[in-house]
Amino acid sequence: MRLVIARCSVDYAGRLTAHLPSAPRLILVKADGSVSIHADDRAYKPLNWMSPPCTLKEGAGEEEGVWTVVNKAGEKLIITMEEILHDSSHELGVDPGLIKDGVEAHLQELLADRIETLGEGYTLIRREYMTAIGPVDILCRDAQGGTVAVEIKRRGEIDGVEQLTRYLELLNRDPHLAPVRGVFAAQEIKPQARVLATDRGIGCQVLDYDALRGIEDDKLRLF
């Protein structure tokens, strides 16, 4: 991972345009190719970012100090450096992945046993399908034989969609699995996460924990 603290301005050109005026910011360049720009007042959420796969070109000559990040859709993130205050690189190695709490682990186990919850004709390939950046919760096939990667959360938020996006990028490089589509499954899915998932072609599935456990709701239901 490369960490750069710099006074810079940022311009995004794609489906819309956005501009960040000059200010000191933290720029993260990760090993997966992603680039994100951070301020000091937004917790984990970046001001702007480019998800992988993308390429970073650092300008030379008259373009020195201009970084251009381009993704596969041709969208550009242009970072104009005015002053670099810090620039360092660190090898973090392979992350062991997030250890799920008991509910998430149990949801994964229950959904694997009742994979037809995702749709008629679904079949399980395996749980905890390992990739270079961590395990996919469930890998399965739909009724048409297509590969589906499922990411399970107790509460579905944007970071979970980003995590599934990274898995899909890797899985779709495997000719034995591609094309692979994604399903984001959770007991509750935040509206922002649903919008991002839909924009990236990822399906959303709300999981009923009690129903998966075979516990009937004692409330009246309308059918």
Side-chain angles (χ1 to χ4, degrees), residues 32-64:
D32 63 4
S34 64
V35 178
S36 57
I37 296 97
H38 298 260
D40 205 15
D41 62 347
R42 294 167 60 91
Y44 66 89
K45 187 176 181 181
L47 296 164
N48 214 327
W49 69 93
M50 193 70 81
S51 299
C54 57
T55 58
L56 168 61
K57 180 181 178 182
E58 298 184 40
E62 293 183 358
E63 295 295 319
E64 186 175 1

Side-chain angles (χ1 to χ4, degrees), residues 6-12 19-25 27 37 65 67 77-83:
R7 178 173 291 278
C8 62
S9 60
V10 184
D11 292 278
Y12 170 80
H19 174 71
L20 294 173
S22 176
R25 297 188 176 95
I27 303 166
I37 296 97
W67 291 14
L77 195 64
I78 301 170
I79 307 169
T80 303
M81 305 289 189
E82 297 174 14
E83 180 185 8

